[in-house]
Amino acid sequence: MSHPIGTSADGPSGTAGPGVPAGDSGTATLTAPQPAGERGAGREVILELKDLNVSYGNIAAVKDLNLTVYEGEIVTLIGSNGAGKSTTLRTISGLLKPRSGDVVFKGRRINGIPGHDVVKLGICQSPEGRKIFQRMTVSENLDLGAFVRKDADGIARDRERVLELFPRLRERIDQKAGTMSGGEQQMLAVARALLGNPSLLLLDEPSMGLAPVLVDLIFETIETIRSQGTTVLLVEQNALAALEIADYAYVLESGHLNMQGPAAQMLADDSVAAAYLGG
Amino acid sequence: MTALAIGGTNRKAKIRLGPIVERVLGILILLFAVYWIVINAIDGPDQFVGSVLVGLQNGALYALVALGYTMVYGIIELINFAHGDLFMLASIVAANLMVNVLGVGDLTTATILPLIVALVVCMAFGAFVNVSAEFLAYRRLRTAPKLAPLMTAVGLSFVFRGIAQQDYINGSTQKNWPVNWGGPIIEGVYVYKLLLVLVVTIPLLLAMTYIVARTRRGKAMRAVAQDQDGARLMGINVNGTISFTFALGGALAGAAGVLYFLVQTQTYYDTGTQLGLIAFTAAVLGGIGNLTGAVVGGVAIGLVQALNEGGAHGLGSNWSQSLVFIILIVLMVFKPEGIFGRRTTEKV
C-alpha cells in the first residue's frame, strides 16, 4: 500500500488527493530512507485511527482523520496551532470520546474505554502542558508513572533506564517538580510516561518553550526511546525537528488531514517547506 | 493553584506593612496570646485545667469535621457547605440507634459494644450520604463555574436541615436524650467523655494520615488533587478517587456525629451549621487542603473557645464566636495561606 504525499482537502482522507496520482510516490529524486511503498513492511500496525471525528460541543476539532502507526516507527503529527493535534492524542488516550470513527490499538477497538484503563493497555502520554504533579518530588512523579504496574523489578529497571536517559532528573530526584525549570519538567513528563512501560508513547509538543539546546536533547532522546523498542507518535509545532527524526508524517490543518508521507520526502518537498517549515 | 480560592476568587492580597513592621506586629500579637494563656493559668489554675480538657474534647470534634472540609476542598476545590449538616444527620442517626434501637441509657464501660456498632453504622451512613451527594450533584457540575457546585452545596445543606427538622425525624427544637454519664469528674469535665472522644478520634486521625500519606489510594488522591488529567494519564481512576475522598470525609463526619451525641446527649437540626462553620474555620486556619492543619486548627479553636468561656480572664461565652473569627482574620492578614498552608511556588 502506498502513502503518497497528496492533498485531501475534503472527504475521507488517506487517499491520494487530486493532482498526485497514487503510486507516484517514492520517486528516485526524493531521498526517502525507505521507499514509501514499503512502509511498515513486515511490521504490525500498532495504532489505527479510522474516520475519526472529535468535537467540543458543536465545534468539530478533528474531522475524518485516518492515521496508521506501525510498530517501531516514529510517526509525527504536525500542523499549526489549533489544527487538532492535541485533540487527537487526547482521544487516543481516552480523555475525549470521539463523535464517530474508531481508535484501534493492536487490533482492538479502544474508543469508549475510560482514560485510566487505556494506560493499562500500553499507551502512555506526555501531555500538552506537561501536567506533572508540581507539589510532589521528581521521585514521586516517577512512581505515579508506574501507578498501574505491579512488577517491582520491571519498575526499578525502567526507573534506572529513564534516569540514564535524563541524568538531570537523577540530580533533582528529591526536588519538588514544580520548582524545576521548564526543560526539566518536560524531561520529567517524558520520563514519567516511559515508566508506564508503554508500547506506544504519545508525546505532545515535547519541545514547547524549551531552549534550542534542550530541544536537540529531547529529540535525540526520542530517537533513543524508539531504538529501545517503543513506538512513538509525536505531535509537534516544530515541524522541522519532528520531520528530521520521524519515519512518517501526517499534516493536520483545521482538523483535516492535509497531507501525509514519509518524513524525509516531506522535508525535501518545497511546498511542504513553504507551508510548514518557514520557507 | 492558590492556597485559598473561595468561589473562584483567588485570594492573593495581603496587607503589606513592610517586612519588619509586619514581623514585629505579628510577634507582639503572638506574645499577647501567650500572655493571656499564662495569666489564665496563674490566676485560675483549676479553671484553666478544666478549660483545657473541654477545649481538647471540643477540638477533637472540630478536627474530625474539619478534615472532611479540607479533604474535599483539597481534591476538587469545593467548599462542601453541606458537610456540617451531614455531621448533624449522623448525630441524629447515632442517637436513635443507640437509645431507641440498642437501648443504651447509662453510659459505662459496659456500653462499648453498642458504641462500636453505632460508630460503624454512622461512619457507613456518613460515607454513603457524602458519596451519593458527590455522585448525584457535584460530579455533574465539575466543569461548571465554581459557584454552581458551591450553591449546590449550600442548597444541600438546607435539604439536610429540612430533613432533620421534620417532626418524625428530630423536630425543630433541641431534643435531649436520656443518656447518663458516670465516672469521675474533673473541673466539670466527665473524664470518660473526654477519654471516649480521644480514644476514638486519635486512631481515626492517625489512620487518615496513614491512608493519605502511605497508601496507593492516598497517592492517587494527592495526584488527582494536583492535576486530574495528569492523574488520568497515569491510569488513576479520577472519579473513583474523588468518591473515595468523599467517603473518607463522610465517615469522619459520621464518627463525629456519634461522639457529639454522646458528649452533649442532645440533637438539634441547627448543630451542623454552627459546628460546621467552626470546623470550616479550623480548616482555613490550619491551611485548607492540609490534613495536619485541620487537626491543629480544630484543637486550637477548641482550646481558645474553652479558655475564653471558662478561664479566669475569659470574655465569656457571648464572645466565643467573635473571638474565633477575630483570630482567623488576624491570621489571614499575616498568613493568608493558613498555619500549614502552602505558598504558591509552582511554575507554570
Side-chain angles (χ1 to χ4, degrees), chain A residues 90 93 95 115-116 119-120 125 127 131-136 140 143-145 147-148 150 178-181 185 192, chain B residues 1 74 216-217 219-220 222-238 342 345-348:
Chain A
R90 288 172 64 80
S93 276
L95 301 182
H116 57 266
V119 180
K120 294 176 192 154
Q125 183 177 163
K131 299 199 182 292
I132 58 168
F133 304 108
Q134 310 247 351
R135 302 194 297 276
M136 294 189 193
E140 287 173 310
D143 286 346
L144 279 164
F147 188 80
V148 296
K150 303 269 188 278
T179 64
M180 300 198 300
S181 74
Q185 294 193 15
R192 189 183 62 173
Chain B
M1 296 287 282
R216 201 176 134 81
R217 281 281 199 177
K219 211 191 262 183
R222 283 183 291 141
V224 171
Q226 291 182 39
D227 198 312
Q228 291 195 11
D229 269 352
R232 215 171 261 126
L233 288 174
M234 301 299 104
I236 292 167
N237 183 341
V238 170
R342 64 196 140 74
T345 50
E346 292 108 276
K347 286 188 178 180
V348 183

Side-chain angles (χ1 to χ4, degrees), chain A residues 24-166:
Chain A
D24 195 28
S25 58
T27 46
T29 51
L30 294 173
T31 53
Q34 54 181 22
E38 289 177 21
R39 183 192 176 205
R43 283 179 171 162
E44 298 283 315
V45 171
I46 190 166
L47 177 80
E48 211 174 353
L49 305 182
K50 293 178 176 169
D51 298 322
L52 193 71
N53 281 283
V54 191
S55 36
Y56 298 104
N58 287 325
I59 302 157
V62 170
K63 301 161 201 159
D64 297 319
L65 176 62
N66 284 281
L67 179 152
T68 309
V69 180
Y70 289 88
E71 243 162 39
E73 278 188 323
I74 296 178
V75 171
T76 185
L77 191 56
I78 54 182
S80 56
N81 227 343
K85 309 185 298 291
S86 296
T87 304
T88 306
L89 288 199
R90 288 172 64 80
T91 309
I92 298 170
S93 276
L95 301 182
L96 294 171
K97 298 230 176 316
R99 167 164 282 190
S100 66
D102 283 330
V103 179
V104 180
F105 179 67
K106 291 184 175 171
R108 179 179 168 194
R109 200 173 147 271
I110 63 162
N111 38 314
I113 293 183
H116 57 266
D117 286 331
V118 170
V119 180
K120 294 176 192 154
L121 302 174
I123 301 178
C124 294
Q125 183 177 163
S126 160
E128 185 183 25
R130 297 164 199 147
K131 299 199 182 292
I132 58 168
F133 304 108
Q134 310 247 351
R135 302 194 297 276
M136 294 189 193
T137 64
V138 169
S139 181
E140 287 173 310
N141 269 276
L142 293 178
D143 286 346
L144 279 164
F147 188 80
V148 296
R149 295 173 68 184
K150 303 269 188 278
D151 54 327
D153 294 346
I155 294 171
R157 199 171 51 241
D158 285 342
R159 203 182 155 93
E160 192 51 37
R161 178 183 149 215
V162 300
L163 291 176
E164 262 157 41
L165 280 175
F166 300 108

Side-chain angles (χ1 to χ4, degrees), chain B residues 172-191:
Chain B
S172 23
T173 51
Q174 205 151 299
K175 195 165 177 179
N176 294 304
W177 295 82
V179 177
N180 302 308
W181 283 87
I185 300 174
I186 300 175
E187 296 302 326
V189 178
Y190 286 89
V191 175

Side-chain angles (χ1 to χ4, degrees), chain A residues 209-258:
Chain A
L210 300 192
V213 57
L214 280 178
V215 173
D216 291 347
L217 174 72
I218 289 273
F219 280 98
E220 275 168 30
T221 311
I222 295 170
E223 287 190 291
T224 313
I225 290 165
R226 186 262 295 271
S227 71
Q228 291 174 349
T230 308
T231 309
V232 178
L233 177 55
L234 169 68
V235 156
E236 259 304 332
Q237 276 199 67
N238 187 344
L240 184 61
L243 287 175
E244 274 170 358
I245 63 162
D247 302 304
Y248 201 82
Y250 292 84
V251 181
L252 276 184
E253 208 172 278
S254 310
H256 280 292
L257 184 63
N258 195 29

